[in-house]
Amino acid sequence: MTRNRYARACAAALLLIGGWTAAGALPAAASDTTGSAAPTAPAASTGSASASPGLLRAMQREFGLTRAEAEARLTAERRATQLAQEARRTAGAAYGGAWFEAESGKLVVAVTSDADASAVRALRSAGAGVRVVEHSARLLDTVKSRIDRLKAPAGVSSWSVDPVANTVAVNVVHGQRSAPDVRRFVAEAREAGPVTVRTVRAAARTFAAGTVGGDPYYTGNVRCSIGFSVHGGFVTAGHCGGTGSAVRGWDGSHIGTFQGSSFPENDYAWVNVGSGWWTVPVVLGWGTIPDRLVRGSAEAPIGASVCRSGSTTHWHCGTVLAKNETVNYSQGAVRQMTKTSVCAEPGDSGGSFISGDQAQGVTSGGWGNCSGGGETWFQPVNEILSRYGLTLHTA
């Protein structure tokens, strides 16, 4: 292998695993397979995975923080992520949900009025804020499941449990709230339990593109983005290709095939890697920040910062807005999604969402763009790993 071919192979390997850290919410768009140039992969960072200078600069830019404030927020989010894993168990049946509160730097845990006093003391002793609410998370999850069984019209964008408001939020497209089918859906949703109706600017759509270049992989004439490396391949979005579909890299060479794919209802897939390609635990920073090493997949709480990497709009950050949200795409509903304030555009689908050095999920879809803003959803990575029996490739 010549030095030039070796360099290209290394870049290809990075693209294979180069995910996004905070991608937009719509499923990624497809792009034309002609005339695409291979991007140059930046070298992987060997410094602190959760507080590299590039990540701190990105957080300063996206959130308007000083460097010290960005460092403090990352430290607080790490503590909140660890505490969130125990909060539900501690609160028991009184658990009402949890979220990260950036202003206080604490995880806030909601509990119902019948919460055991010792559990409340334990949560506060662990550093959590405690808020008393009317409805338990179990009740709200049941309400959301009932709404999942309804047939949603195009004017309804999504719905999920909102632990901060202690209700199920139903998101309706602006200008569609008075439409008869939307009014009927909202009325039926209210019959299921406590519901709040909100307005969003546009309907959710997938992020596949027809004729755009600079992609990490192609399926037919569709361009999508790689999510995270797993042992034997990588995970990505299901709407990017069906089981058995062949996958090509940025240089046109064969990578592998979709070994499993699900869309709609879910939006996940995995691709095996061969033909000289290999996997590494890296997410591309696209020159905005150094490439990120992936060290695990601990789930960040609502309110925590999250970033996305993708082949169209590269690196963008935002916050986690909701979990277990059902998204109503034109192709059908997709359940158990996580909503973020991160932007994305066609071609970003399948790319990586990451919080610090922890893999979060793969970009599915959303609305808006990275010029005017928008929201995106991702399919949680731990669900994908569990579904296919895969092991995340970590540093």
Side-chain angles (χ1 to χ4, degrees):
M1 177 181 291
T2 66
R3 169 178 243 144
N4 188 46
R5 286 186 62 196
Y6 180 78
R8 288 171 180 251
C10 290
L14 287 176
L15 283 172
L16 263 180
I17 49 106
W20 314 38
T21 56
L26 330 103
S31 71
D32 188 352
T33 59
T34 61
S36 66
T40 301
S45 171
T46 57
S48 169
S50 57
S52 71
L55 178 59
L56 293 172
R57 285 194 298 271
M59 292 188 69
Q60 290 175 249
R61 181 183 67 250
E62 300 283 355
F63 299 118
L65 304 175
T66 65
R67 181 186 177 91
E69 289 170 339
E71 291 175 333
R73 175 160 178 165
L74 284 172
T75 300
E77 287 181 354
R78 284 195 296 273
R79 287 198 303 264
T81 297
Q82 295 166 355
L83 180 56
Q85 298 173 18
E86 301 296 329
R88 181 186 289 268
R89 184 179 310 146
T90 301
Y95 181 73
W99 61 94
F100 177 75
E101 188 177 72
E103 294 78 9
S104 66
K106 289 185 175 183
L107 181 78
V108 179
V109 181
V111 298
T112 56
S113 57
D114 59 348
D116 185 87
S118 62
V120 173
R121 286 195 298 271
L123 289 168
R124 287 177 172 151
S125 177
V130 177
R131 180 179 298 178
V132 178
V133 295
E134 182 178 358
H135 308 297
S136 70
R138 181 178 302 172
L139 183 146
L140 294 177
D141 287 342
T142 299
V143 172
K144 197 259 181 183
S145 295
R146 291 171 182 164
I147 298 174
D148 280 346
R149 293 193 286 269
L150 303 177
K151 182 173 177 57
V156 176
S157 175
S158 64
W159 55 94
S160 66
V161 172
D162 181 349
V164 181
N166 195 227
T167 186
V168 176
V170 174
N171 300 300
V172 175
V173 178
H174 178 71
Q176 297 293 312
R177 187 163 182 170
S178 297
D181 55 354
V182 172
R183 293 175 61 185
R184 184 165 51 251
F185 179 89
V186 169
E188 292 175 346
R190 291 190 190 282
E191 291 177 2
V195 163
T196 299
V197 179
R198 297 171 180 166
T199 301
V200 296
R201 286 191 287 169
R205 62 186 176 91
T206 58
F207 276 130
T211 53
V212 283
D215 58 284
Y217 78 88
Y218 297 99
T219 305
N221 67 343
V222 171
R223 172 173 61 82
C224 281
S225 302
I226 291 160
F228 294 97
S229 284
V230 296
H231 291 287
F234 65 84
V235 294
T236 187
H239 71 263
C240 291
T243 302
S245 298
V247 174
R248 307 187 315 279
W250 59 265
D251 60 352
S253 67
H254 178 74
I255 295 176
T257 58
F258 278 81
Q259 299 298 298
S261 179
S262 178
F263 180 79
E265 186 65 28
N266 305 294
D267 194 7
Y268 51 57
W270 84 281
V271 176
N272 70 330
V273 169
S275 304
W277 293 73
W278 64 93
T279 65
V280 288
V282 174
V283 170
L284 291 176
W286 295 99
T288 301
I289 70 165
D291 292 352
R292 309 294 294 153
L293 292 175
V294 178
R295 300 185 186 277
S297 58
E299 185 178 331
I302 291 173
S305 62
V306 67
C307 296
R308 174 193 58 74
S309 177
S311 58
T312 298
T313 56
H314 298 173
W315 181 274
H316 287 276
C317 299
T319 57
V320 176
L321 300 178
K323 295 186 178 184
N324 191 25
E325 182 147 303
T326 299
V327 183
N328 188 35
Y329 294 129
S330 61
Q331 300 94 326
V334 177
R335 312 187 195 284
Q336 298 181 322
M337 304 280 274
T338 297
K339 180 165 67 175
T340 77
S341 63
V342 186
C343 68
E345 296 179 11
D348 286 337
S349 281
S352 333
F353 268 89
I354 190 168
S355 182
D357 57 8
Q358 299 296 303
Q360 298 297 308
V362 301
T363 303
S364 173
W367 60 268
N369 56 48
C370 290
S371 297
E375 294 175 340
T376 59
W377 287 267
F378 65 78
Q379 181 87 61
V381 70
N382 287 332
E383 180 183 358
I384 309 173
L385 300 176
S386 175
R387 169 62 179 83
Y388 294 118
L390 301 170
T391 301
L392 189 68
H393 191 165
T394 57

